[in-house]
Amino acid sequence: LSQFCANDPEVFVQAALLAQDYCDAIDLNLGCPQMIAKRGHYGAFLQEEWDLLQRMILMANEKLSVPITCKIRVFPEIDKTVKYAQMLEKAGCQLLTVHGRTKEQKGPLAGVASWEHIQAVRKAVNIPVFANGNIQCLSDVEECIRKTGVHGVMSAEGNLHNPALFEGRNPLVWEMAEEYLEIVQKYPCPLSYVRAHLFKLWHHTLQVYQQLREELAKVKTLEGIVDVNRELKLRCQEEIANQKEGEKPKEGLPFFHWICQPYIRPGPKERCKENGASGNEKGVLGKRSLEEEEDGNSELLSKNKQKKKLRNPNKSFDPSLKPKYAKCDQCGNPKGNKCVFNMCRGCCKKRAFKETADCPGHGLLFKTKYEKSLSWQSSQRIIQTPEMSQRDVDVGETAVLKEAAD
């Protein structure tokens, strides 16, 4: 299966044609809820544009030699979700994966996926349906199939924390990590991918050995990652050797931290408590609002800010030290310090073009270029003929202005 993100039928099909000889099906990702998908206008942010999706799937069906499948997120309303799925089926989707969360349910706000939505879709369409969401162990797979009637089940985070999930096993973490690193050495990939996988596998152990977590974040070579993995294994084996009889896992885990197991992402209220406040005091806080309260302590910083801290140890994330910017009179974004209109560059460009004005602060010289263009025309001794109408003059001036804008 080859999956694509797209928002243009022609571009999507052209890309799919390049891949169709190397896969069994082409999947259109309509489920990504991340901010990058919002900026790029793809994934779950297309779920209201049914005409566009129909055109994309219809064209793919017409020109591809392999089936077209889709992965979607649900709407809050079951009825709308069912109609959405039926529309995709009618357009030519031949297999549908339904993630039982809305596009707003992500990160700390993920919550529980709705199998009720998935069951309703399964009953309403005649194509195979796969379920996604709430799959942390093999018993979840069996229960999901029993409750929803789907033909198959997908797992994302559950499978990343325990790659043996579909075997029904909970192996030692270092067994999975060593097997993964052997594959990476045989089939190299960017180091960031390797680090991300090990952070998932070793998640619970890295809460215990924070220093090794920092080393794993800093290491620059695959050999260095292998060394950190070996040290984690030794620490765990030493802990097992010193374990007392009858000792139970800490932090409420079902197994000891060196055993592959799910990570249940804390909800907003739990995150508030972890930060020393009750749910009533802080309400439902998202990731960004929590990050805004960070005071520069590396233990509380997000992963992205920790990376920035490593590159620049003197960098501070204290909100009180951030420079205060004057706002654009038009849209509220930071304005240019030397803008003659007190606007950001985007708003300034629109106004300067409309008024044929200059803004040296933003390097916009519409008036200057317009005057130079008129001067050049005059120097070429272009004489207006009697037959030339005022409309032709206006068109000429408009062309000059457009040239200045370009």
Side-chain angles (χ1 to χ4, degrees):
L1 182 69
S2 184
Q3 188 181 68
F4 289 88
C5 293
N7 57 21
D8 182 291
E10 291 285 350
V11 174
F12 171 50
V13 171
Q14 287 174 14
L17 286 169
L18 297 174
Q20 67 175 356
D21 294 336
Y22 304 95
C23 60
D24 296 320
I26 296 294
D27 187 72
L28 178 59
N29 183 347
L30 302 175
C32 182
Q34 304 302 327
M35 188 56 62
I36 190 172
K38 184 176 183 179
R39 289 196 298 265
H41 191 55
Y42 60 80
F45 297 93
L46 295 180
Q47 66 179 16
E48 297 285 359
E49 301 184 35
W50 292 14
D51 289 341
L52 171 62
L53 298 181
Q54 282 179 317
R55 285 189 284 115
M56 292 175 72
I57 297 169
L58 283 168
M59 184 178 290
N61 258 332
E62 179 185 339
K63 297 191 176 181
L64 298 179
S65 61
V66 294
I68 173 79
T69 67
C70 297
K71 184 170 188 284
I72 65 171
R73 285 200 166 217
V74 300
F75 291 95
E77 307 85 6
I78 291 180
D79 288 347
K80 188 172 182 179
T81 303
V82 167
K83 291 177 182 177
Y84 181 39
Q86 290 173 329
M87 177 274 294
L88 294 172
E89 178 187 24
K90 187 176 180 180
C93 174
Q94 297 178 49
L95 182 148
L96 191 62
T97 300
V98 184
H99 187 159
R101 293 184 175 91
T102 65
K103 71 176 186 296
E104 290 77 25
Q105 287 181 276
K106 59 183 179 180
L109 303 177
V112 178
S114 171
W115 286 356
E116 188 180 358
H117 281 69
I118 299 173
Q119 181 187 40
V121 170
R122 167 67 186 92
K123 290 179 178 180
V125 299
N126 297 311
I127 56 176
V129 175
F130 284 6
N132 185 208
N134 305 342
I135 307 300
Q136 300 288 356
C137 55
L138 188 59
S139 61
D140 293 333
V141 175
E142 296 162 350
E143 184 182 4
C144 182
I145 292 175
R146 179 175 58 82
K147 286 188 174 182
T148 64
V150 293
H151 301 84
V153 171
M154 288 188 180
S155 174
E157 288 201 342
N159 202 40
L160 288 171
H161 287 281
N162 179 14
L165 185 156
F166 286 99
E167 293 182 359
R169 297 191 302 118
N170 293 89
L172 295 167
V173 174
W174 62 79
E175 289 181 4
M176 295 290 95
E178 288 174 347
E179 182 178 339
Y180 170 67
L181 288 171
E182 286 177 7
I183 295 172
V184 170
Q185 288 169 335
K186 187 175 180 181
Y187 304 102
C189 65
L191 209 62
S192 60
Y193 298 0
V194 182
R195 187 183 288 109
H197 275 292
L198 290 184
F199 268 124
K200 293 288 186 183
L201 280 169
W202 283 111
H203 175 84
H204 297 292
T205 298
L206 290 171
Q207 309 308 308
V208 179
Y209 302 115
Q210 289 286 337
Q211 183 182 354
L212 289 176
R213 178 185 180 85
E214 292 179 13
E215 289 186 24
L216 184 57
K218 292 178 184 178
V219 69
K220 303 294 184 184
T221 64
L222 182 58
E223 292 74 19
I225 287 182
V226 171
D227 291 340
V228 174
N229 187 70
R230 187 182 299 113
E231 181 61 25
L232 282 164
K233 175 182 177 180
L234 292 174
R235 296 277 184 97
C236 290
Q237 289 177 331
E238 184 179 350
E239 195 173 335
I240 292 171
N242 297 327
Q243 197 173 358
K244 296 177 182 178
E245 187 176 349
E247 188 175 343
K248 295 183 179 180
K250 299 177 182 178
E251 305 298 331
L253 297 177
F255 305 105
F256 289 101
H257 62 78
W258 54 79
I259 295 175
C260 289
Q261 58 193 296
Y263 164 59
I264 308 301
R265 192 189 297 272
K269 291 184 179 179
E270 287 82 356
R271 287 175 65 89
C272 288
K273 290 175 182 177
E274 288 174 6
N275 284 272
S278 68
N280 291 333
E281 290 173 342
K282 293 202 174 184
V284 180
L285 290 180
K287 178 179 176 182
R288 294 196 180 278
S289 57
L290 285 169
E291 286 180 357
E292 288 172 2
E293 295 178 5
E294 294 165 354
D295 59 3
N297 187 335
S298 62
E299 293 183 2
L300 298 178
L301 293 178
S302 65
K303 291 180 182 179
N304 190 39
K305 288 183 178 179
Q306 286 183 48
K307 291 177 183 177
K308 292 180 180 178
K309 191 79 173 176
L310 287 173
R311 292 194 294 267
N312 182 5
N314 297 322
K315 188 173 182 62
S316 172
F317 295 98
D318 186 346
S320 64
L321 299 179
K322 290 184 178 179
K324 304 297 182 183
Y325 295 103
K327 293 183 178 180
C328 169
D329 292 345
Q330 191 73 25
C331 68
N333 286 327
K335 78 175 186 71
N337 290 332
K338 299 180 180 179
C339 178
V340 297
F341 299 116
N342 292 316
M343 292 181 173
C344 65
R345 194 177 194 283
C347 295
C348 175
K349 186 174 182 179
K350 292 176 183 177
R351 180 167 173 179
F353 174 74
K354 185 178 180 180
E355 299 181 6
T356 318
D358 287 350
C359 178
H362 279 126
L364 302 172
L365 305 174
F366 293 110
K367 181 180 179 181
T368 301
K369 290 181 178 179
Y370 177 59
E371 290 175 348
K372 283 184 177 179
S373 180
L374 292 178
S375 176
W376 179 83
Q377 286 187 356
S378 176
S379 68
Q380 295 296 309
R381 302 180 185 281
I382 299 178
I383 302 172
Q384 181 177 340
T385 63
E387 292 80 8
M388 184 179 290
S389 66
Q390 183 60 42
R391 178 181 173 278
D392 295 327
V393 174
D394 292 341
V395 169
E397 290 184 350
T398 302
V400 170
L401 273 174
K402 186 177 185 305
E403 183 181 351
D406 295 338

